[in-house]
Amino acid sequence: MANFVPVRKEQHQNLKLASKRDLAHVAGQHIVSLTAAEYAQASASFPVVLVKNPDSPRYRSVAMLGLEAGENLYYKDDKWSALSLPQSVGMAPFALGLDPDKENTLTACVDIDSTLVAEDKELALFEADGKESELLANVQNSLGRLYENEKMTENFIKELEENDLLQELELNIDLSNGEKKKLTGIFTVNEDKVKTLADDKVLDFHKRGLFVPIYAMLGSLGQINRLVQLRNLTSNAPITSIQIAPLAKEEVQEGVAES
């Protein structure tokens, strides 16, 4: 588990970041957070979907890295095989968190239990005189951009909800050993409903650039076949078929998705 604490000169004057980064922290993650600003690029590598547990009203925007919990098919032998890297993954071991000293204020935090940070690493967070290093300033700027993109993504999802454009998918998976699996709790855009949007709404969406992430999300579903291919390269029980279909509303959600 990560142990994030606010970056403070008093506690972290000598803390340093490893010059050689790795992605071991996502080795067992089957989904990772993704912002709408990343959809177009990410759709060339991953299925881009929204996930939601049945007992929660909140949707989460993610890239699917595997077809079951603990399975990351894009990270093998310490190598990342996808064409792009989600910003949330690349920011490790840093994240935004609430500043305990300032009410309702976000600040840069670091996972002090990460193997990427220690006093014997190479890249200093603070200069000898106590000033923030250029590295730390860049981290803070990147976290700020990530936060803005996350807020934009929340607004994008809200637009989809308010216009009744979401639909839940059901993935039915058949394995060579006879086992069958069903994944639910995965949501995408209902393309048929997009096509029936009123003209004024179409113009509004176009002017605000909402069709870019909408169609990137829809196009990315073809990458589910890529997940199957990657899994079958190493699995003892290869997938023989996978069907993707809208989930009937009367069906009970089984949930897929939070990591």
Side-chain angles (χ1 to χ4, degrees):
M1 294 290 290
N3 183 15
F4 285 102
V5 299
V7 178
R8 293 286 189 266
K9 178 182 67 174
E10 295 76 16
Q11 289 84 35
H12 306 125
Q13 171 76 56
N14 299 317
L15 194 65
K16 297 178 182 179
L17 178 70
S19 58
K20 185 177 180 180
R21 310 285 291 279
D22 65 54
L23 301 175
H25 61 286
V26 294
Q29 292 183 227
H30 68 298
I31 55 174
V32 293
S33 296
L34 193 73
T35 67
E38 300 175 273
Y39 283 9
Q41 186 175 24
S43 64
S45 294
F46 323 102
V48 176
V49 298
L50 305 182
V51 296
K52 183 172 78 69
N53 282 339
D55 57 354
S56 171
R58 179 177 175 268
Y59 292 92
R60 180 181 170 199
S61 168
V62 302
M64 290 179 64
L65 307 182
L67 292 167
E68 59 184 321
E71 177 182 76
N72 184 338
L73 298 169
Y74 294 90
Y75 186 71
K76 297 291 182 183
D77 300 323
D78 299 327
K79 293 181 181 179
W80 182 258
S81 63
L83 297 175
S84 62
L85 182 70
Q87 190 179 5
S88 63
V89 175
M91 286 309 306
F94 299 99
L96 277 177
L98 287 174
D99 191 329
D101 301 326
K102 298 178 182 178
E103 188 175 358
N104 298 324
T105 301
L106 293 171
T107 189
C109 296
V110 62
D111 176 10
I112 56 172
D113 289 345
S114 169
T115 58
L116 298 176
V117 290
E119 293 190 0
D120 62 353
K121 299 300 182 182
E122 299 81 25
L123 307 174
L125 300 185
F126 293 92
E127 304 292 353
D129 59 5
K131 291 182 179 179
E132 294 180 355
S133 67
E134 183 178 355
L135 167 69
L136 182 54
N138 289 337
V139 165
Q140 291 171 330
N141 288 335
S142 295
L143 288 172
R145 288 193 297 271
L146 179 58
Y147 175 74
E148 292 301 322
N149 286 339
E150 288 174 344
K151 296 300 291 183
M152 181 186 73
T153 303
E154 288 179 10
N155 292 333
F156 171 67
I157 295 172
K158 185 178 178 182
E159 290 277 5
L160 297 180
E161 288 187 88
E162 291 179 347
N163 289 280
D164 192 28
L165 295 178
L166 290 177
Q167 68 176 7
E168 185 172 2
L169 299 178
E170 177 180 88
L171 271 62
N172 291 294
I173 302 171
D174 294 333
L175 305 179
S176 62
N177 61 5
E179 185 179 358
K180 296 179 182 294
K181 294 187 177 184
K182 180 194 292 185
L183 299 182
T184 59
I186 303 171
F187 295 77
T188 189
V189 175
N190 186 322
E191 187 172 12
D192 290 337
K193 289 188 176 181
V194 171
K195 292 176 180 178
T196 61
L197 285 171
D199 289 349
D200 60 337
K201 183 64 69 173
V202 170
L203 181 60
D204 174 53
F205 273 33
H206 174 70
K207 286 185 174 180
R208 291 190 290 141
L210 298 184
F211 284 122
V212 174
I214 283 174
Y215 281 103
M217 180 183 285
L218 286 168
S220 76
L221 292 179
Q223 299 301 337
I224 290 176
N225 292 323
R226 177 62 175 157
L227 292 181
V228 172
Q229 291 173 345
L230 291 171
R231 181 189 172 101
N232 285 354
L233 289 175
T234 57
S235 177
N236 293 325
I239 294 172
T240 56
S241 71
I242 185 167
Q243 292 84 37
I244 308 167
L247 184 70
K249 288 188 176 181
E250 63 271 16
E251 291 191 43
V252 177
Q253 289 183 328
E254 297 179 5
V256 65
E258 296 288 350
S259 64

